[in-house]
Amino acid sequence: MARRKLVAGNWKMNGSRAALAELDAIASAAEAAPNVDVAVAVPFTLIAPAADRAPGLAIGAEDVHEADSGAHTGCVSAAMVQEAGARFTIVGHSERRADQGETSQDAWAKAAAAHRQGLNVILCCGETEAERNAGRAERVVQAQIEKSVPDNADGSWFTLAYEPRWAIGTGRTPTVDEVASIHAIARAKLRMLIGDAADGVRILYGGSVTGENAAVLLAVENVDGALVGGASLTAAKFVPIIEAAAGL
């Protein structure tokens, strides 16, 4: 099945209103690449101004709470980010799992909450370096997918992102064969869980994606795009990744 490439940026805890000027060139690059979907997840404080400034881009949140509302001080619900202009959210990011102790069950609940509010979801999975060195990468990813993916997931709103934790922000990436192997395993696991709908689900690769390595990574079978961290903060680094996706 042919799946459109998706290049999604994740600004993490970076950015300011002044930084939103970077979206101008990113939006122009997206317009010049009609065969590619482009999305940018920004901090909660920037969702509304980003959506106003770049209506042609899919602006999203970096996380949501699993409850629709309630006594959850400091948390933000899917309904809130949707009202602010978000079209999607990331859930289960490895930094949330590592720093905030989130589990795959938490990611499942957040994905379900986001879908209830009409948001698209990018759900992340990936192993640590210790898990890979112990030969457990495949089992870890399969277990995370099994516990995180909602039963009603399909490609109209759901995207999976494989991000080996040890590659995030380090400049290191798995080999092409390693990426191909995990993405094939992820696709097979999705088919076990949601049947034929799995063929419509995009699987992104994330972890030190740059303009230099994007074309090689995005050409791998079952790699349907990229989840980009630091390189998405500036148009100078993000646009070449969009262009690489457009050229495939």
Side-chain angles (χ1 to χ4, degrees), residues 38-65:
V38 180
V40 182
V42 297
F44 294 132
T45 56
L46 297 180
I47 291 172
D52 288 341
R53 180 162 189 141
L57 291 176
I59 299 299
E62 298 169 6
D63 186 45
V64 293
H65 194 271

Short mmCIF file of all heavy atoms in Angstrom, two decimals, residues 38-65:
data_model
loop_
_atom_site.label_atom_id
_atom_site.label_comp_id
_atom_site.label_asym_id
_atom_site.label_seq_id
_atom_site.Cartn_x
_atom_site.Cartn_y
_atom_site.Cartn_z
N VAL A 38 3.47 17.60 6.36
CA VAL A 38 4.42 18.23 7.28
C VAL A 38 3.69 18.67 8.53
O VAL A 38 2.62 19.29 8.45
CB VAL A 38 5.12 19.43 6.62
CG1 VAL A 38 6.11 20.07 7.59
CG2 VAL A 38 5.85 18.99 5.34
N ALA A 39 4.25 18.35 9.67
CA ALA A 39 3.64 18.68 10.95
C ALA A 39 4.71 19.15 11.92
O ALA A 39 5.87 18.74 11.83
CB ALA A 39 2.92 17.45 11.53
N VAL A 40 4.31 20.00 12.86
CA VAL A 40 5.24 20.49 13.88
C VAL A 40 4.54 20.50 15.22
O VAL A 40 3.50 21.15 15.38
CB VAL A 40 5.77 21.91 13.55
CG1 VAL A 40 6.76 22.36 14.62
CG2 VAL A 40 6.41 21.95 12.17
N ALA A 41 5.11 19.78 16.19
CA ALA A 41 4.59 19.80 17.56
C ALA A 41 5.39 20.82 18.36
O ALA A 41 6.63 20.76 18.39
CB ALA A 41 4.70 18.43 18.20
N VAL A 42 4.69 21.74 18.97
CA VAL A 42 5.34 22.84 19.70
C VAL A 42 4.90 22.81 21.17
O VAL A 42 3.91 22.16 21.52
CB VAL A 42 5.00 24.21 19.07
CG1 VAL A 42 5.52 24.28 17.65
CG2 VAL A 42 3.49 24.45 19.10
N PRO A 43 5.61 23.53 22.05
CA PRO A 43 5.16 23.62 23.44
C PRO A 43 3.74 24.16 23.54
O PRO A 43 3.28 24.90 22.66
CB PRO A 43 6.18 24.58 24.08
CG PRO A 43 7.41 24.43 23.23
CD PRO A 43 6.90 24.23 21.84
N PHE A 44 3.04 23.80 24.62
CA PHE A 44 1.66 24.21 24.80
C PHE A 44 1.46 25.71 24.59
O PHE A 44 0.49 26.13 23.98
CB PHE A 44 1.17 23.85 26.20
CG PHE A 44 1.08 22.37 26.46
CD1 PHE A 44 1.61 21.83 27.62
CD2 PHE A 44 0.45 21.51 25.56
CE1 PHE A 44 1.51 20.47 27.89
CE2 PHE A 44 0.34 20.15 25.82
CZ PHE A 44 0.88 19.63 26.99
N THR A 45 2.40 26.51 25.07
CA THR A 45 2.26 27.97 25.01
C THR A 45 2.29 28.51 23.59
O THR A 45 1.88 29.65 23.36
CB THR A 45 3.36 28.65 25.83
OG1 THR A 45 4.64 28.21 25.35
CG2 THR A 45 3.24 28.32 27.31
N LEU A 46 2.81 27.71 22.66
CA LEU A 46 2.98 28.19 21.29
C LEU A 46 1.96 27.63 20.31
O LEU A 46 1.96 28.00 19.14
CB LEU A 46 4.39 27.88 20.79
CG LEU A 46 5.55 28.55 21.53
CD1 LEU A 46 6.88 28.14 20.92
CD2 LEU A 46 5.40 30.07 21.50
N ILE A 47 1.09 26.74 20.77
CA ILE A 47 0.16 26.09 19.84
C ILE A 47 -0.72 27.12 19.14
O ILE A 47 -0.82 27.13 17.90
CB ILE A 47 -0.70 25.04 20.57
CG1 ILE A 47 0.17 23.86 21.00
CG2 ILE A 47 -1.83 24.56 19.66
CD1 ILE A 47 -0.56 22.85 21.88
N ALA A 48 -1.37 27.98 19.91
CA ALA A 48 -2.29 28.95 19.29
C ALA A 48 -1.58 29.91 18.35
O ALA A 48 -2.00 30.08 17.20
CB ALA A 48 -3.06 29.71 20.38
N PRO A 49 -0.47 30.56 18.77
CA PRO A 49 0.19 31.47 17.83
C PRO A 49 0.79 30.74 16.63
O PRO A 49 0.84 31.30 15.53
CB PRO A 49 1.26 32.17 18.68
CG PRO A 49 1.45 31.31 19.88
CD PRO A 49 0.13 30.66 20.12
N ALA A 50 1.24 29.51 16.82
CA ALA A 50 1.79 28.75 15.67
C ALA A 50 0.70 28.42 14.68
O ALA A 50 0.89 28.53 13.46
CB ALA A 50 2.47 27.48 16.17
N ALA A 51 -0.46 28.00 15.18
CA ALA A 51 -1.57 27.67 14.29
C ALA A 51 -2.05 28.89 13.53
O ALA A 51 -2.44 28.80 12.36
CB ALA A 51 -2.71 27.06 15.10
N ASP A 52 -2.02 30.04 14.18
CA ASP A 52 -2.42 31.29 13.52
C ASP A 52 -1.41 31.69 12.45
O ASP A 52 -1.79 32.16 11.37
CB ASP A 52 -2.57 32.41 14.55
CG ASP A 52 -3.79 32.25 15.43
OD1 ASP A 52 -4.71 31.51 15.03
OD2 ASP A 52 -3.82 32.87 16.51
N ARG A 53 -0.14 31.51 12.76
CA ARG A 53 0.91 31.98 11.85
C ARG A 53 1.06 31.05 10.64
O ARG A 53 1.38 31.52 9.54
CB ARG A 53 2.25 32.07 12.59
CG ARG A 53 3.39 32.56 11.70
CD ARG A 53 4.55 33.04 12.48
NE ARG A 53 5.53 33.70 11.60
CZ ARG A 53 6.20 34.79 11.92
NH1 ARG A 53 5.99 35.39 13.09
NH2 ARG A 53 7.06 35.32 11.07
N ALA A 54 0.87 29.75 10.85
CA ALA A 54 1.12 28.79 9.77
C ALA A 54 -0.09 27.88 9.59
O ALA A 54 -0.04 26.69 9.89
CB ALA A 54 2.37 27.97 10.08
N PRO A 55 -1.19 28.42 9.08
CA PRO A 55 -2.41 27.60 8.93
C PRO A 55 -2.24 26.44 7.96
O PRO A 55 -3.01 25.48 8.00
CB PRO A 55 -3.44 28.61 8.43
CG PRO A 55 -2.65 29.72 7.81
CD PRO A 55 -1.40 29.81 8.63
N GLY A 56 -1.25 26.51 7.10
CA GLY A 56 -1.03 25.41 6.16
C GLY A 56 -0.28 24.23 6.74
O GLY A 56 -0.21 23.17 6.12
N LEU A 57 0.29 24.41 7.93
CA LEU A 57 0.99 23.33 8.60
C LEU A 57 0.07 22.66 9.62
O LEU A 57 -0.81 23.31 10.19
CB LEU A 57 2.23 23.85 9.33
CG LEU A 57 3.40 24.34 8.50
CD1 LEU A 57 4.49 24.90 9.42
CD2 LEU A 57 3.96 23.24 7.63
N ALA A 58 0.30 21.39 9.87
CA ALA A 58 -0.39 20.71 10.97
C ALA A 58 0.40 21.00 12.24
O ALA A 58 1.52 20.51 12.41
CB ALA A 58 -0.46 19.21 10.71
N ILE A 59 -0.16 21.81 13.10
CA ILE A 59 0.48 22.15 14.37
C ILE A 59 -0.08 21.22 15.44
O ILE A 59 -1.28 20.97 15.51
CB ILE A 59 0.22 23.62 14.75
CG1 ILE A 59 0.80 24.56 13.68
CG2 ILE A 59 0.82 23.94 16.13
CD1 ILE A 59 2.30 24.46 13.49
N GLY A 60 0.80 20.72 16.29
CA GLY A 60 0.35 19.76 17.29
C GLY A 60 0.94 20.01 18.65
O GLY A 60 1.77 20.91 18.85
N ALA A 61 0.50 19.19 19.61
CA ALA A 61 1.00 19.22 20.98
C ALA A 61 2.03 18.11 21.17
O ALA A 61 2.04 17.12 20.43
CB ALA A 61 -0.16 19.05 21.96
N GLU A 62 2.85 18.26 22.18
CA GLU A 62 3.88 17.27 22.45
C GLU A 62 3.42 16.20 23.44
O GLU A 62 4.11 15.20 23.65
CB GLU A 62 5.13 17.96 22.98
CG GLU A 62 5.73 18.92 21.98
CD GLU A 62 6.80 19.82 22.57
OE1 GLU A 62 7.17 19.63 23.74
OE2 GLU A 62 7.27 20.71 21.85
N ASP A 63 2.24 16.41 24.02
CA ASP A 63 1.70 15.47 24.98
C ASP A 63 0.30 15.94 25.36
O ASP A 63 -0.04 17.11 25.13
CB ASP A 63 2.58 15.42 26.24
CG ASP A 63 2.16 14.34 27.23
OD1 ASP A 63 1.90 13.21 26.79
OD2 ASP A 63 2.09 14.63 28.44
N VAL A 64 -0.50 15.06 25.91
CA VAL A 64 -1.78 15.43 26.50
C VAL A 64 -2.00 14.54 27.72
O VAL A 64 -1.36 13.49 27.87
CB VAL A 64 -2.98 15.26 25.54
CG1 VAL A 64 -2.91 16.25 24.39
CG2 VAL A 64 -3.06 13.83 25.02
N HIS A 65 -2.92 14.97 28.59
CA HIS A 65 -3.31 14.13 29.72
C HIS A 65 -4.37 13.14 29.26
O HIS A 65 -5.10 13.42 28.30
CB HIS A 65 -3.84 15.01 30.86
CG HIS A 65 -3.95 14.30 32.17
ND1 HIS A 65 -5.07 13.60 32.55
CD2 HIS A 65 -3.06 14.17 33.19
CE1 HIS A 65 -4.88 13.07 33.75
NE2 HIS A 65 -3.66 13.41 34.17
#
